[in-house]
Amino acid sequence: MSTQFIFFSGKGGVGKTSMACTHAVRYADEGRRTLIVTTDPASNLADVFEQKIGHQITPVSGVSNLSAMEIDPDTATREYIDRAMAPLRAAFPPQVVKVMEEQMSGPCTAEVAAFDRFTDFIVSDKGAPDFDVVIFDTAPTGHTIRLLELPAEWSQSIATASAGSGQTCIGPAAAIQDAKRKYEHALGALRDETLATFIFVLHPEAIAIRETKRAIGELGKLEIHAFRLIINGIIPASEKANPLFAARSQMQTRYLAQIQAELPYPSQSMILLSGEIQGAARLRQVGKIFFDGEPTPVELEAARGKPVKIVTSSIEEVTARILPKGQRRTVFFAGKGGVGKTVASCMTAVWLARQGHKTLLLTTDPAAHLGDVLGQPVGDNVTVVSGQTSLWAVKIDPKAAAETYKARILGDARQRGRPESALKVMEEELESPCTEEMAAFDQFIDYASQSQWDAMVFDTAPTGHTMRLLELPMDWSQQIDVKVFASVEGNAADNVAKQRFGKVIEMMRDQEQSTFAFVMYPESTPVLEAWRASQELATVGIHTGLVVANFVIPPEQVTPFARARRAMQVKYLAEIRERFAVPVLEIPLLPQEVKGLEMLVEIGVLAYGNESRLPSLKPKDWNQK
């Protein structure tokens, strides 16, 4: 029997990892040899299974037949270079080998190495031991689509290089022909509906539905068509007695009808639980609820809540981390997928603009939801936000950025009088799939260097990919602009790049100019993920300045389910303050999604205050709309 490949995908924060782990435990308990692999750079597998896992296949404690692995991009890169260079070291002089290794030290190699390790599990003759089921717990949709597009793009890039210069940015084409065959094989497996299934996990909410539809459309272009849905987070029927959850349940009912009409795929539903999902025993319990329809023990969980005192931050403490102080203020909102980074970014940008500060709002997330929250389109060029003075918005789209980047690099080379033969080689290299990542980074540096704004607000991609972006100025200072600039005027180009990076690095480290705000909802996984990222950024001199605790359930709750969830959140609100020791902005769970300028203005005043012409606002005000 052939190995079955099951991909769990979807918007960040919809419960992909919980559902993937629940399935993995169930399959293993049924006697199937099961492996669960995460391709998310900010993996949470270890948190869910409550044990160390890492970049090797590791047996899961307490679950026979189940192993797990977290693909680490740095380790995968070292393995990839060693594997690719091994035969060349014996065949070429050390000087030539050194040049080849330098060519493989760029950002392209890191991207393809993680992807290469991923395909090892699909192409069975290399990599994993024999498994009946391999489950992929993937990164949020935008980056997963990128990952799944790579087999076709890299195969094409290698073929083109073989017919041209023979060189790719991941090594000589002659040395990676085996990779081309492996990528083609992997793509074939992904397309085979008897081997591979894609399960999209989504909440019954507008953005999650839109992102799922877009992802299914993109996979369709790759001739991948085997889809299933898990609609997660359904509010229990018992919450009709709770005005907040009853309003959210009504909202869900509308979106469930939309899902049924617009996403006609086999689907299952999973109820919103009153507690977290961690550990093998809990995963088995969730499996009984999901697969067998057993009831949820809400009352038992409610009794576990313990009283915890929470100290709240003042508005003055919070706004001191947001407002410009005689120079431009740049605010980065980061965190796990689905924690509300986009809403926090839009709310903050609108509020800053209404204080009279000339503000630019940007997103570096490929999924780009700024337009959904603002209620108006946001494109690749800086554009005025209609209805709000002093506010502009733009998204960094990797594909559009790549086209701009190619034109700039080639145009610059022509101005410098490079011969046509050199231009042809450069053009070939710029067709590499990794040009998109480099171009997006280049555009990030460009915006971060602009001085015409009073304030800039970055809505970033989920943690793992954002960490990579923010650390690039340090890591790539010797490598930016591909090898292309080096082949034109290496030293001059390096100096220009260093100056650009130096200014951005200085800006990100200066807490008078920049604020790194981690957004999270008060549960274990987002808190831990943000904490690890915060610690990592501190090692390069970038310190967290603000925490946004989102989706906080108000204290006054009457149902056992709501009290249980509130008790769980209170525990983590206290942990957030203890771990981060910075001002904490709490945003309440609202009865409906945040969309449009009017609502952003209102929650901005609720969060940051200081707009006297608006009445005093409380969360319950939205219940009446």
Side-chain angles (χ1 to χ4, degrees):
M1 181 177 172
S2 299
T3 301
Q4 298 295 300
F5 304 108
I6 304 175
F7 294 80
F8 282 79
S9 187
K11 184 182 180 299
V14 295
K16 291 186 293 297
T17 299
S18 298
M19 284 292 97
C21 292
T22 298
H23 280 69
V25 170
R26 171 56 68 109
Y27 294 151
D29 284 347
E30 290 174 348
R32 289 191 265 183
R33 294 161 299 173
T34 304
L35 172 67
I36 181 168
V37 181
T38 180
T39 61
D40 190 339
S43 168
N44 301 123
L45 277 190
D47 300 330
V48 174
F49 285 117
E50 297 182 314
Q51 69 171 78
K52 185 177 180 181
I53 295 177
H55 187 77
Q56 64 284 321
I57 295 173
T58 304
V60 174
S61 300
V63 188
S64 301
N65 301 314
L66 178 59
S67 298
M69 177 177 176
E70 298 167 318
I71 295 178
D72 176 69
D74 294 334
T75 307
T77 301
R78 289 195 296 273
E79 292 174 347
Y80 177 84
I81 292 176
D82 286 344
R83 193 163 62 240
M85 292 306 299
L88 302 178
R89 289 193 179 100
F92 292 93
Q95 300 89 335
V96 175
V97 171
K98 186 178 179 183
V99 171
M100 291 179 178
E101 287 179 339
E102 286 178 356
Q103 289 175 328
M104 295 181 72
S105 63
C108 317
T109 308
E111 183 178 44
V112 78
F115 160 72
D116 191 79
R117 194 69 186 90
F118 156 77
T119 56
D120 280 342
F121 295 102
I122 300 175
V123 181
S124 59
D125 58 339
K126 291 182 180 179
D130 193 17
F131 289 98
D132 299 317
V133 182
V134 178
I135 291 175
F136 293 94
D137 171 36
T138 71
T141 316
H143 291 96
T144 297
I145 295 299
R146 167 82 179 145
L147 182 74
L148 297 175
E149 286 176 346
L150 285 173
E153 294 191 6
W154 276 114
S155 292
Q156 178 61 37
S157 181
I158 294 168
T160 303
S162 298
S165 66
Q167 183 63 42
T168 77
C169 53
I170 55 172
I176 54 177
Q177 282 299 327
D178 284 347
K180 178 175 180 295
R181 285 187 284 273
K182 184 166 79 169
Y183 301 160
E184 289 171 344
H185 186 174
L187 188 58
L190 296 177
R191 288 169 172 160
D192 187 339
E193 296 184 18
T194 66
L195 297 179
T197 303
F198 290 77
I199 298 179
F200 282 93
V201 185
L202 70 160
H203 287 160
E205 296 177 7
I207 292 177
I209 294 172
R210 193 172 303 119
E211 193 161 318
T212 301
K213 289 172 65 179
R214 185 179 65 83
I216 287 176
E218 292 296 320
L219 290 179
K221 294 176 186 175
L222 297 172
E223 301 177 40
I224 293 171
H225 301 292
F227 306 121
R228 286 174 48 203
L229 305 178
I230 294 178
I231 308 165
N232 197 13
I234 303 294
I235 293 172
S238 63
E239 293 313 291
K240 289 179 181 175
N242 181 318
L244 174 62
F245 283 100
R248 291 192 68 85
S249 181
Q250 286 179 5
M251 175 190 74
Q252 288 190 344
T253 299
R254 295 194 300 273
Y255 287 123
L256 287 170
Q258 183 181 346
I259 291 170
Q260 189 173 23
E262 299 178 7
L263 291 167
Y265 304 101
S267 65
Q268 291 172 275
S269 296
M270 179 64 201
I271 199 164
L272 178 67
L273 301 176
S274 54
E276 295 184 281
I277 302 175
Q278 285 182 307
R282 176 66 165 162
L283 288 164
R284 287 193 174 99
Q285 183 186 44
V286 173
K288 289 179 181 176
I289 297 169
F290 180 77
F291 291 105
D292 307 328
E294 289 196 2
T296 311
V298 173
E299 290 76 11
L300 292 177
E301 293 176 6
R304 294 176 192 155
K306 296 179 181 177
V308 177
K309 185 178 180 182
I310 300 176
V311 179
T312 56
S313 302
S314 69
I315 284 181
E316 290 73 22
E317 289 175 307
V318 171
T319 54
R321 308 300 175 103
I322 299 295
L323 286 165
K325 294 180 181 176
Q327 56 187 330
R328 194 191 76 191
R329 167 75 72 176
T330 304
V331 186
F332 297 86
F333 284 99
K336 185 179 184 303
V339 294
K341 295 184 293 295
T342 303
V343 167
S345 302
C346 291
M347 174 190 80
T348 303
V350 168
W351 185 82
L352 284 166
R354 293 180 75 83
Q355 309 310 305
H357 300 294
K358 185 179 178 183
T359 303
L360 178 62
L361 171 64
L362 312 90
T363 182
T364 62
D365 188 346
H369 296 303
L370 284 188
D372 296 320
V373 176
L374 289 173
Q376 55 188 282
V378 173
D380 305 327
N381 298 311
V382 176
T383 308
V384 171
V385 174
S386 178
Q388 179 56 62
T389 57
S390 302
L391 181 60
W392 287 256
V394 66
K395 68 175 181 180
I396 297 178
D397 177 74
K399 292 187 185 302
E403 294 306 312
T404 304
Y405 181 75
K406 289 176 196 174
R408 180 171 68 79
I409 295 292
L410 290 171
D412 188 67
R414 286 193 179 91
Q415 278 193 343
R416 293 168 187 252
R418 299 295 297 169
E420 280 303 315
S421 57
L423 290 171
K424 187 175 179 182
V425 172
M426 292 166 61
E427 193 167 0
E428 188 180 290
E429 290 192 1
L430 287 167
E431 290 302 320
S432 159
C434 58
T435 297
E436 284 185 16
E437 184 179 30
M438 303 177 82
F441 169 67
D442 184 75
Q443 208 166 78
F444 162 74
I445 292 291
D446 184 47
Y447 284 123
S449 304
Q450 292 182 0
S451 59
Q452 67 266 41
W453 309 101
D454 300 329
M456 298 181 74
V457 178
F458 280 89
D459 168 36
T460 73
T463 313
H465 295 91
T466 294
M467 296 300 293
R468 181 169 165 76
L469 179 72
L470 296 179
E471 291 175 348
L472 286 177
M474 292 75 167
D475 295 342
W476 293 3
S477 60
Q478 297 297 322
Q479 299 165 7
I480 192 61
D481 283 355
V482 210
K483 289 88 55 182
V484 176
F485 265 125
S487 65
V488 180
E489 284 182 18
N491 291 334
D494 277 349
N495 288 335
V496 170
K498 280 180 182 178
Q499 288 177 14
R500 292 176 74 206
F501 295 162
K503 288 181 181 176
V504 173
I505 292 169
E506 182 183 340
M507 177 271 289
M508 291 196 296
R509 287 175 172 163
D510 183 356
Q511 291 192 295
E512 294 298 307
Q513 297 185 63
S514 301
T515 297
F516 276 80
F518 277 97
V519 187
M520 61 200 77
Y521 47 83
E523 294 183 23
S524 174
T525 300
V527 173
L528 283 175
E529 185 170 315
W531 170 247
R532 287 193 285 260
S534 173
Q535 294 295 292
E536 190 174 335
L537 281 179
T539 65
V540 294
I542 298 174
H543 298 282
T544 302
L546 179 68
V547 166
V548 178
N550 201 7
F551 308 134
V552 176
I553 298 171
E556 58 282 0
Q557 296 302 321
V558 294
T559 59
F561 171 85
R563 286 202 299 271
R565 285 196 69 84
R566 167 70 187 175
M568 174 190 68
Q569 289 194 345
V570 166
K571 178 182 121 183
Y572 287 109
L573 286 170
E575 182 176 326
I576 287 169
R577 283 166 171 81
E578 184 179 341
R579 281 184 180 273
F580 290 90
V582 297
V584 177
L585 168 63
E586 289 188 19
I587 300 178
L589 177 70
L590 301 174
Q592 63 190 65
E593 296 167 297
V594 176
K595 183 174 182 178
L597 282 174
E598 182 184 0
M599 196 166 177
L600 287 168
V601 169
E602 292 181 353
I603 62 170
V605 172
L606 183 68
Y608 301 125
N610 195 31
E611 196 153 351
S612 58
R613 63 176 174 274
L614 286 176
S616 177
L617 293 168
K618 294 181 180 178
K620 64 181 182 181
D621 291 332
W622 285 292
N623 282 318
Q624 300 166 1
K625 295 190 175 183

